[in-house]
């Protein structure tokens, strides 16, 4: 379901010190905006920002970049980040609007991304749309251009077919699946899990959450 237009989103983002208006200008130089050498993690399709805001709040020694294609959801993400951090300075997170299909235009190997988070992305179930999936081979080839040599992809979904296909895409493109479960909430991985809002909703509906971590081999 598409979010209703937020007329306040763009003006608020333009005033936000951690919103990046033109991410292409930072290709190969993302660490410069954080002014430290801490590892970079990226969430593709950060949506309303509840997941990345909690990650950044809990891990001050890691820098996070949240990317989405919608100003409206990024506006909500900014507000959620502000609420999560409260009086604490927000210095390890950046938001930007961009089409993730073309992510190699904003990152390269110099950015040395350590982790990519993909949580509950659009499954694009119709065959002719599979190339739009964030875990499709077309995307994985790009990710390998800027992931650290030990880089990992964290992937969660409620969609069975997307999860099955994503395993094949990963293996076909030189990734090793280091851990996997078809039911996160009845697995050993739950103790270290940080849930997203979609995840909580699906779990309450009784829909098993699929989860994996894949590493470049």
């Amino acid at each position: 379901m598409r979010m209703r237009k937020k007329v306040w989103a763009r003006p608020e983002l333009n005033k936000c010190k951690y919103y990046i208006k033109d991410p292409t200008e930072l290709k190969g130089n993302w660490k410069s905006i954080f002014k430290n050498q801490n590892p970079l993690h990226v969430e593709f399709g950060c949506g309303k920002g509840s997941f990345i805001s909690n990650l950044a709040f809990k891990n001050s020694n890691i820098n996070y970049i949240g990317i989405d294609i919608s100003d409206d959801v990024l506006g909500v993400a900014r507000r959620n980040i502000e609420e999560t951090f409260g009086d604490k300075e927000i210095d390890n997170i950046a938001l930007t609007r961009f089409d993730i299909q073309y992510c190699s235009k904003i990152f390269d190997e110099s950015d040395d991304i350590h982790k990519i988070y993909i949580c509950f992305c659009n499954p694009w179930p119709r065959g002719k749309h599979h190339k739009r999936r964030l875990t499709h081979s077309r995307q994985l080839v790009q990710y390998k251009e800027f992931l650290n040599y030990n880089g990992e992809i964290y992937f969660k979904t409620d969609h069975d077919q997307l999860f099955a296909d994503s395993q094949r895409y990963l293996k076909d493109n030189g990734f090793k699946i280091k851990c996997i479960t078809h039911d996160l909430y009845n697995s050993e991985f739950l103790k270290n899990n940080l849930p997203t809002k979609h995840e909580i909703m699906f779990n309450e509906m009784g829909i098993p959450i699929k989860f994996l971590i894949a590493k470049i081999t």
Side-chain angles (χ1 to χ4, degrees), residues 1 44-45 118-126 129-136 155-159 162 166 198:
M1 184 175 178
F44 286 143
I118 301 172
C119 301
F120 303 96
C121 61
N122 190 328
W124 294 109
R126 296 181 64 183
H129 293 153
H130 283 184
K131 288 184 179 180
R132 300 183 185 182
R133 291 171 165 176
L134 296 186
T135 55
H136 191 272
F155 176 54
K156 290 181 183 179
T157 183
D158 62 303
H159 196 277
L162 173 62
S166 296
H198 278 97

Side-chain angles (χ1 to χ4, degrees), residues 155-183:
F155 176 54
K156 290 181 183 179
T157 183
D158 62 303
H159 196 277
D160 291 330
Q161 191 59 53
L162 173 62
F163 196 60
D165 291 345
S166 296
Q167 293 172 60
R168 173 169 51 84
Y169 301 149
L170 287 161
K171 292 174 181 177
D172 288 349
N173 286 276
F175 287 84
K176 178 182 179 180
I177 297 174
K178 58 183 287 188
C179 65
I180 185 170
T181 177
H182 288 77
D183 189 356

